[in-house]
Amino acid sequence: MAGKFDQNDASVVVVVGSGAGGGTLATELALKGVKVVCLEAGGRHEIEDFINDEWASFSQLAWTDMRTTSGSWRVARDFANLPAWIVKAVGGSTTHWAGASLRFQDHEWKARTTYGELAGASLLDWPIDSAEMAPWYTKAEDRMGVTRTHGIAGLPGNNNYKVLEAGAKKLGYKEVSTGRMAINSAARDGRGACQQIGFCFQGCKSGAKWSTLYAEIPKGEATNNLEVRPNSYVVRIEHDASGKVTGVVYFDKEGREQRQKARIVAVAGNSIESPRLLLNSASNMFPQGLANSSGQVGRNYMRHMTGSVYGVFQKPVKMWRGTTMAGIVSDEARHDPKRGFVGGYELETLSIGLPFMAAFLDPGGWGRSFTSAMDGYENMAGMWIVGEDMPRADNRVTLSNARDKHGYPVANVHFDDHPNDVAMRSHAYNVGAAIYEAVGATRTFPTTPYPSTHNLGTNRMSENARDGVVNRWGQTHDVKNLFVSDGSQFTTGAAENPTLTIVALALRQADYIVNQMSKNVI
Amino acid sequence: MQQHTQPQGGRPHIDRRLFLTGAAGATIVVLSGAIFHPAEAWALETKNLKPETMRTLIKMARDIYPHDRLADKFYAVAVKGYDEKAADAALRSTIESAVAELDAMAKTAYSAAYANVGWEWERTRLLEKIAATPFFQSLRGGLVVSLYNQPEVWPAFGYEGESASKGGYINRGFNDIAWL
């Protein structure tokens, strides 16, 4: 079937990726009258296609194409070819995300200034701040229907939340609630209310959770300005003799090489694929890779300081019932170096089903210690720790020796925890265990980080071109009509789940792109 | 798993050609080309692996992920794929020799084949000695999915599986915790 836009139409904006950044940007540009071709590596699976089964859903949605790993992180040992648990499908990881939608705290935009110089960290202030982002956060929250904003009621707490809340309050924590979630607590924007299905990670079957797949992209398509091309795997960005990008090369579902010309290219393939694409686009003019005169492409890879704590109680909890991320404790998110680390962390309920619990509770574990924990599954409560990790120059995405089926080098993801990450995780494990023990847990498990879901920072935003890859608009310092529109722009990671910030940045970037196009600057 | 020996209303007939394989309990017995589980009334024919080897793999599976509330048949289902894969001669040889080696270690330490060693902790001690081998790693790694992803085992853990077709838990106890 012929697409809406011709491949030789050099007036279109090409967006690579359809997740939180790409899907939002593509839709917003289309709503503003800009012609957009959105190229998505994965297929298009609608709500009715989603599967309430962890492994089957993983096969349907997850990015399982080859990647390699290195470094001292445990993921490199346990899941050597699966550094990240993210999605290859229209909607990207907004099909899989849990919905937590938190604004950065003011100081987190200025991490270098706030935390000072830390050995082994490459901290930098964002070139933007809280005041500048406030209206974009407001717009993003309205768009996504975030609970506890815009007069939207919070979600009801499920069993897993009730355990967390009771334990946290016993310890004196105050900022405990069912959180700000991009999950409808009542029907809104043509989507229904949460049915407490569980399986948020497997694609929301009620559509209550915001996803670009059904909450954004169809609105863009309705304008006739947006064409989403699934199964279009972009491998290279091309440029002309002046250094401006002219289009992209991609492989279609049948494995045929295709070209799409473009006036502007916006890269939003997640923090692993986006730097890989820039590095694989090296040319005589840009021998280090596109937009990489700073040498910063791929560097400062962040994945949030994470981990989980599960607790077993004497009686059933049935944590899998209802929203996966059902509530949050925010008291530890503050910056308080007296705890022995800079930055902070959130505690958010989490549940995984029995099949994934077997895979992730203690990867490689076996014997009675492991199985007696699994025997306690019905009586378990669970929480996820998400905190700010330190950017490090050598935590980075590089091109691997391994190649994909099209012959392009795959990404290698190298990661070593910073001592600050280790100290923060240790603190969080203790707090998590104490919360559950306060309400009668007989055993707790400090569970190692899963393959990364929050991949950030590999094309970071900087005031000065020498320090990063993109400017305050996500526009590359080197190439004016090349943008980065996903979490790889993040200068630092903050303690909050990144999707809301990615969406806010994409909305703001769309405004800028339209402005620059109207002035014929790009 | 093949269920062809499930007779109606009774346990499978076991004649004297069968030899009992477990000194203590004899839960799984070997007949030429097949293993029988009289108590659970199932049998499993092997095509490529020796039946004794399959019996040992089932025992290893239980010792790696011991759940006393799970019947042997779930462990048999979890490892029976190895018999199919053992059509490959190199893999068959790897499995047979790894199991033979484990049996040899068991005989040295406990004067019995692995599956007949009496205590779980004794068998676990043997497994710890081979835990770094690719064979053990592959067996253990495969079991994570082949055992725990059987929907039939989920009820033993209380896990309820799919819920969207039932309307989720909004009216079915998402917040029914009463003991807090």
Side-chain angles (χ1 to χ4, degrees), chain A residues 31 81 127 185 233 293 297 312 387 400 434 456 507:
Chain A
L31 291 171
N81 297 117
S185 54
Y233 194 113
S293 65
V297 170
V312 173
S400 173
L456 303 168
L507 293 172

Side-chain angles (χ1 to χ4, degrees), chain A residues 47 49 119 175 205 235 262 327 346 499 520:
Chain A
I47 288 174
D49 304 322
E175 297 170 54
K205 289 208 60 90
V235 292
E346 312 271 0
T499 299
N520 263 316

Side-chain angles (χ1 to χ4, degrees), chain B residues 43-93:
Chain B
L44 178 59
E45 269 182 18
T46 58
K47 293 192 197 78
N48 298 301
L49 294 174
K50 292 181 200 164
E52 291 85 354
T53 299
M54 182 55 70
R55 180 204 5 138
T56 304
L57 290 177
I58 294 169
K59 194 72 170 176
M60 289 175 75
R62 181 180 281 287
D63 290 337
I64 292 170
Y65 291 120
H67 292 288
D68 300 339
R69 286 179 285 181
L70 292 185
D72 282 334
K73 66 178 177 182
F74 299 115
Y75 292 98
V77 167
V79 297
K80 76 188 173 85
Y82 284 98
D83 185 50
E84 313 268 322
K85 289 183 201 156
D88 176 71
L91 181 66
R92 181 167 66 247
S93 158

Side-chain angles (χ1 to χ4, degrees), chain A residues 14 26 28 35 45-46 72 92 99 102 136 138 190 192 220 238 243 273 303-304 306 318 343 363 381 448 507:
Chain A
V14 164
E28 184 68 0
K35 291 184 291 180
H45 309 284
E46 303 292 353
S72 58
L102 308 170
W136 299 104
T138 298
E238 298 187 314
E273 292 307 309
R303 58 185 306 256
H304 270 149
T306 70
K318 301 181 192 286
T448 188
L507 293 172

Side-chain angles (χ1 to χ4, degrees), chain B:
Chain B
M1 192 182 330
Q2 294 173 48
Q3 301 285 346
H4 62 80
T5 58
Q6 263 187 329
Q8 274 139 12
R11 294 154 71 101
H13 175 70
I14 300 169
D15 68 26
R16 67 185 61 178
R17 288 175 303 149
L18 291 177
F19 54 93
L20 298 182
T21 60
T27 53
I28 294 182
V29 294
V30 173
L31 175 63
S32 55
I35 58 175
F36 276 80
H37 198 304
E40 294 180 14
W42 55 264
L44 178 59
E45 269 182 18
T46 58
K47 293 192 197 78
N48 298 301
L49 294 174
K50 292 181 200 164
E52 291 85 354
T53 299
M54 182 55 70
R55 180 204 5 138
T56 304
L57 290 177
I58 294 169
K59 194 72 170 176
M60 289 175 75
R62 181 180 281 287
D63 290 337
I64 292 170
Y65 291 120
H67 292 288
D68 300 339
R69 286 179 285 181
L70 292 185
D72 282 334
K73 66 178 177 182
F74 299 115
Y75 292 98
V77 167
V79 297
K80 76 188 173 85
Y82 284 98
D83 185 50
E84 313 268 322
K85 289 183 201 156
D88 176 71
L91 181 66
R92 181 167 66 247
S93 158
T94 300
I95 295 173
E96 293 288 5
S97 60
V99 167
E101 204 172 316
L102 185 63
D103 276 337
M105 286 166 57
K107 280 170 187 158
T108 303
Y110 306 112
S111 304
Y114 178 84
N116 295 337
V117 172
W119 282 93
E120 180 186 287
W121 68 263
E122 293 172 324
R123 296 188 302 273
T124 301
R125 190 171 281 182
L126 296 170
L127 292 181
E128 280 163 358
K129 290 183 183 166
I130 64 162
T133 63
F135 168 68
F136 180 90
Q137 291 292 333
S138 166
L139 180 65
R140 187 209 60 72
L143 280 169
V144 171
V145 179
S146 64
L147 178 64
Y148 293 105
N149 203 35
Q150 294 179 49
E152 296 77 16
V153 311
W154 295 348
F157 297 90
Y159 182 53
E160 296 168 293
E162 187 272 340
S163 87
S165 72
K166 300 165 191 159
Y169 293 101
I170 187 78
N171 298 312
R172 295 192 310 125
F174 78 102
N175 61 354
D176 64 357
I177 197 164
W179 56 262
L180 268 172

Side-chain angles (χ1 to χ4, degrees), chain A residues 335-350:
Chain A
H335 169 57
D336 174 9
K338 287 198 295 291
R339 292 172 298 179
F341 52 87
V342 301
Y345 61 87
E346 312 271 0
L347 300 171
E348 301 169 346
T349 75
L350 187 83

